[in-house]
Amino acid sequence: MKNTESARQRIVILDYGSQYTHLIARRIREHHVYSEILPFGTTAESLRADMPKGIILSGGPNSVFADGAPSIDREIFELGVPVLGICYGMQLMAQTLGGKVVAGTVREYGKAELKADCASGMFAGLPEKFVVWMSHGDRVAELPAGFKPAASSENCPYAAACDESRRFYALQFHPEVAHTQFGEKIISNFVFAICGCRADWDMGTWIEDSVAKLRAEIGDEHVILGLSGGVDSSVVAVLLNKAIGKRLHCIFVDNGLLRHGEAAEVEAMFAGKLGLDLHVAHAAQRFYKALCGAEDPETKRKIIGREFVTVFAEEARKFQNCRFLAQGTIYPDVIESSSSVNGPSQTIKSHHNVGGLPPDLKFSLVEPLRDLFKDEVRAVGRILGMDESLLSRQPFPGPGLGVRVLGEVNAEKVRLLQEADLRVQQEVRKLPDYGKIWQAFAVLLPCRSVGVMGDQRTYEYTCAIRCVNSIDAMTADWTRLPYDTLATISNRIINEVRGINRVVYDISSKPPATIEWE
């Protein structure tokens, strides 16, 4: 049985700005329970109208005793529902309920061994000792009245605590990240054993709810979608087509920074096979001219974004009856580009979206995927019946090859990179475990080196190969490609792409590196 959204049980997460907040929501959804992220300033009164089964206070980058630190409505602790505080959430809970938080003498960041009291409901069914992921400087020095210790680590005597009579639980570590052993079980214990939820939600339900929301929001109006041909905007296109049909109009900007042959593929797929109303703007030379002389990554992103908006606006003005603008924004885009999603998170890098449109284009924004991770977006696409060949496409940055050509971008460098990247794709796709690779691509470095080809001295560009495994792009590890595959890629690029004479392989993980080089 699937409940409607209004009747469905839910877990509410109050966002205090952690980079991992949506991972908490994701882990809960993986248990087929609906979860919703709300701003940390949400009041108890606003929650009473649709009482959640449980509340989670996320982590965050602040100190609870700093000026202006995010706080909580104290009456939330009087709603009578279970509350779980994670990291900053634990410290905020302790301070609000009468405990004491101090600056730690030893900062814990990374893996730590936890010694747990398995009598606590959070740790039921777990071993006494296991590894967790810590990320904190402050710590709880005194527990509030009614609380008792539930776990400790070498540097943190109160790594977990609970007041089981009031169903309040607190964890100094992050159970939502993959680095914490049994983190999934800890969350499961809270959601099911403590909050009493039923597993009655899935992505099919999400689609039903989203289509209903879109129809209610859009009404009889028309929608413009900036279609890139990637997974995210493609799923949005099919979802909107299901919701409003022919009132969707897609604009595809060929900025000259796409993968080899991609522009033609997009036209064939969306205008031809799917029959969508697709309008193509051929603007490669315009982008190259604007990028001339720009070397800084953020400057290039801003130029590409600005030019995209200008070209897009020119096309959008042809549709006088469109009130809404749709985008394929997903959560990793939001968290890396916004300093305030629902809480006080910190900017990592800007992202390419259709923002800053001219005043005459007063669109209302529609972003139906903004709370989903990439694999969840793919799951939506599969339920909608989309081709696996499209859904399995690897992520591609909004600024395209503009941030894979390091330094200044021009048509010749883009051509070199397209040719090199094509050979990477061709060889990696031959691997039996290709489907496990999150992204594989080439990067053109802004340096030349000496080589020898046919007894002749060469002085040409260096190409880096980046290949990573990930689940949701929040963390990633470099892929251990077979040496034979690397050798073939290197040999093909150097011999077939004139202008590149050296190939290197990137073996850095995220963090500390990002997946893209710029």
Side-chain angles (χ1 to χ4, degrees), residues 210-468:
S210 295
V211 168
K213 281 182 180 178
L214 289 168
R215 287 173 177 164
E217 180 181 1
I218 296 167
D220 295 328
E221 302 288 342
H222 288 241
V223 177
I224 290 177
L225 168 65
L227 181 67
S228 70
V231 175
D232 307 327
S233 64
S234 299
V235 171
V236 170
V238 176
L239 186 67
L240 279 168
N241 187 56
K242 180 179 177 67
I244 64 172
K246 296 299 182 180
R247 288 182 286 119
L248 170 66
H249 311 284
C250 301
I251 296 175
F252 173 61
V253 177
D254 180 2
N255 59 10
L257 304 172
L258 304 174
R259 289 169 283 206
H260 188 278
E262 187 167 17
E265 291 175 4
V266 168
E267 288 195 65
M269 171 64 73
F270 292 94
K273 187 171 183 179
L274 297 179
L276 299 184
D277 182 31
L278 179 66
H279 303 261
V280 181
H282 300 284
Q285 295 307 315
R286 181 172 184 162
F287 278 81
Y288 296 150
K289 182 178 179 180
L291 287 166
C292 183
E295 297 185 358
D296 176 72
E298 281 299 292
T299 300
K300 291 193 297 181
R301 284 177 178 271
K302 287 179 171 60
I303 290 172
I304 294 168
R306 183 192 68 213
E307 289 302 312
F308 182 91
V309 167
T310 302
V311 174
F312 186 89
E314 291 172 359
E315 293 297 317
R317 289 191 180 97
K318 299 174 183 178
F319 301 91
Q320 297 295 323
N321 60 343
C322 285
R323 176 185 162 195
F324 290 92
L325 171 66
Q327 291 188 161
T329 308
I330 65 173
Y331 183 64
D333 298 334
V334 174
I335 199 169
E336 289 194 339
S337 61
S338 175
S339 59
S340 182
V341 182
N342 283 307
S345 58
Q346 298 186 354
T347 299
I348 298 173
K349 60 186 178 184
S350 62
H351 275 266
H352 169 65
N353 284 307
V354 189
L357 287 170
D360 63 302
L361 296 175
K362 297 179 180 179
F363 292 118
S364 296
L365 195 60
V366 176
E367 295 177 306
L369 307 181
R370 67 176 288 121
D371 289 330
L372 300 184
F373 289 88
K374 180 72 75 172
D375 60 316
E376 294 175 317
V377 173
R378 289 191 171 108
V380 168
R382 291 186 183 100
I383 296 172
L384 290 171
M386 296 174 65
D387 288 353
E388 189 60 37
S389 61
L390 177 59
L391 296 176
S392 62
R393 294 191 70 182
Q394 295 180 349
F396 190 62
L401 300 183
V403 291
R404 291 182 180 174
V405 172
L406 271 61
E408 186 177 9
V409 178
N410 58 43
E412 176 58 19
K413 289 181 179 179
V414 170
R415 184 195 66 79
L416 284 176
L417 183 55
Q418 286 176 330
E419 293 292 337
D421 187 71
L422 175 63
R423 285 146 180 86
V424 173
Q425 302 305 320
Q426 289 173 338
E427 296 304 321
V428 171
R429 287 174 187 273
K430 296 176 183 178
L431 296 172
D433 58 351
Y434 169 73
K436 298 180 181 179
I437 296 174
W438 179 261
Q439 273 178 280
F441 56 89
V443 179
L444 190 68
L445 304 188
C447 58
R448 302 189 186 199
S449 64
V450 174
V452 178
M453 299 179 71
D455 295 327
Q456 297 292 318
R457 177 186 183 274
T458 62
Y459 188 60
E460 297 176 338
Y461 285 106
T462 298
C463 173
I465 308 303
R466 180 69 158 147
C467 189
V468 298

Side-chain angles (χ1 to χ4, degrees), residues 8-78:
R8 184 183 308 119
Q9 302 173 96
R10 62 176 182 150
I11 299 292
V12 163
I13 303 162
L14 300 187
D15 183 12
Y16 287 90
S18 170
Q19 297 291 320
Y20 304 132
T21 297
H22 270 64
L23 281 179
I24 305 171
R26 172 192 175 84
R27 300 300 177 231
I28 295 170
R29 292 198 296 257
E30 287 171 349
H31 289 295
H32 302 291
V33 174
Y34 181 71
S35 59
E36 182 178 4
I37 297 174
L38 298 177
F40 68 84
T42 299
T43 64
E45 186 61 33
S46 66
L47 293 174
R48 284 192 181 97
D50 183 14
M51 189 73 79
K53 296 287 288 184
I55 298 170
I56 296 177
L57 315 181
S58 83
N62 297 280
S63 171
V64 292
F65 41 75
D67 291 340
S71 59
I72 188 171
D73 178 0
R74 199 183 192 288
E75 291 187 11
I76 284 176
F77 295 107
E78 300 171 10

